[in-house]
Amino acid sequence: MSGPLEGIRVIDVGTRISAPFCAGLLGELGADVIKVELPGQGDFMRTMGPFIAVDGAPDYSLSWSVEGRGRRGVTCDLRHPDGKDLFKKLADHADVVVENFRPGTMEKWGLGPEALDPCLVYVRISVFGQSGPYSPRPGLDRLGIAFGGLLHLTGDPDRPPVRPGVTVSDYLTGVFAAFAAVSSLYGRDRGGGATVGRGEVIDAPLYGAILRILEWTLAGYDRLGIVRQREGNRLSHSAPLDNYPSADGFFVCIVAGSDANFSRLCQAMERPDLARDPRFATLAERASRGDEINGLVAEWTSSLSAEEITVRCVAHDVPVGTAYSAADIFTDPHMEARGDLVAVADPVIGAVRQQAPFPRLTRHPTPVPRGAPRLGEHNREVWCDLVGLTEAELTDLRDRGVI
């Protein structure tokens, strides 16, 4: 695959989402990603729905089709002595290793950073990090958003916290980890001082990615004693702002807190009198009467279709957007024009339309990722052609369950 990371090889020895997503992002930038899975079992994502029926075979996971794309796939039992040796030989041909086992697992298998080439960039994703009293604890994405402080802020103020609709800490940590991996590669290959020629060990806990995006939450507590609370779809310091209902069953997000945007919204609503009303003259006044002004906007939107609301707001330069479902995304002309969906050639079920690589590079157009590999699909290609095993050695390892 072409791109700025062409010539870089990444070993994805992770499972589920965070580490594989990190490796996948590097692959979309041109790196050769090789996924290592347990023989006969594979990544847990292969067992996650939704599923699509396949003639003469077990139902196929669409989750795996998305999360497993953009890499070659091999099998290797890292718990077996011969599997450990095989992994080390593969690592000799790599630049980056990405894993997300519970801290200490790779060391237990004799495959921690100290056991491999110090030139490797070694990405370690976990829930609580590689150190600290909570480090050994198990956990998944939900713990990342809870411990990192996001879950407390998500939902309506008079109801329990609500998790975001996707696994935010897994994906966000993958993004931060990929950024750190690229930075470490730059330092190793082109940096200065002690970084030249040496890799880096990247410690990326799920909660840390969440902690980093908490806006003013921690500074507000430190200096003002404010414990930030859930505000639902609104903000206590800005109005009008909400996801407003339309007459045809959609929810339309309008952001008109500033004086300029509020004035434009009043024009779109054909209510210029609201902009002159002393109750709504300033942002502070509107925020203090948030229920009132948001109620007036909701009354207006409820009389119109989502398209009519959008047309009127766009005509008056008011920030607006409909809360899209997957069906809406598939039919939106802007996304079609930009190529935001691509058809990935899955080796099991054929072409699957899914999200395109992101972000796009102008000088290195990103190709469509290869489909998620079958379990062990590239064993011969990697273990023989790259690592150098003979066919007889490959067969022996397969017969003994090592691969």
Side-chain angles (χ1 to χ4, degrees), residues 123-135:
V123 179
R124 318 199 73 175
I125 298 177
S126 60
V127 179
F128 295 105
Q130 301 297 313
S131 62
Y134 301 163
S135 176

Side-chain angles (χ1 to χ4, degrees), residues 86 89-90 93 381-389:
L86 199 56
K89 291 178 181 178
L90 178 60
H93 296 271
E381 183 178 306
V382 171
W383 296 133
C384 294
D385 298 346
L386 177 62
V387 174
L389 297 185

Side-chain angles (χ1 to χ4, degrees), residues 252-255 306 309-311 313-314 318-322:
V252 180
C253 178
I254 296 175
V255 182
I309 298 165
T310 300
V311 167
C313 285
V314 169
V318 179
V320 63
T322 299

Side-chain angles (χ1 to χ4, degrees), residues 387-399:
V387 174
L389 297 185
T390 65
E391 287 287 344
E393 289 172 325
L394 186 73
T395 300
D396 175 63
L397 291 170
R398 183 185 297 114
D399 291 345

Side-chain angles (χ1 to χ4, degrees), residues 10 17-27 33 71 96 98 123 125 170-171 173-179 181:
V10 178
I17 295 176
S18 56
F21 187 66
C22 169
L25 291 176
L26 300 177
V33 180
R71 65 205 75 200
V96 181
V98 185
V123 179
I125 298 177
D170 271 332
Y171 287 115
T173 306
V175 173
F176 276 121
F179 160 73

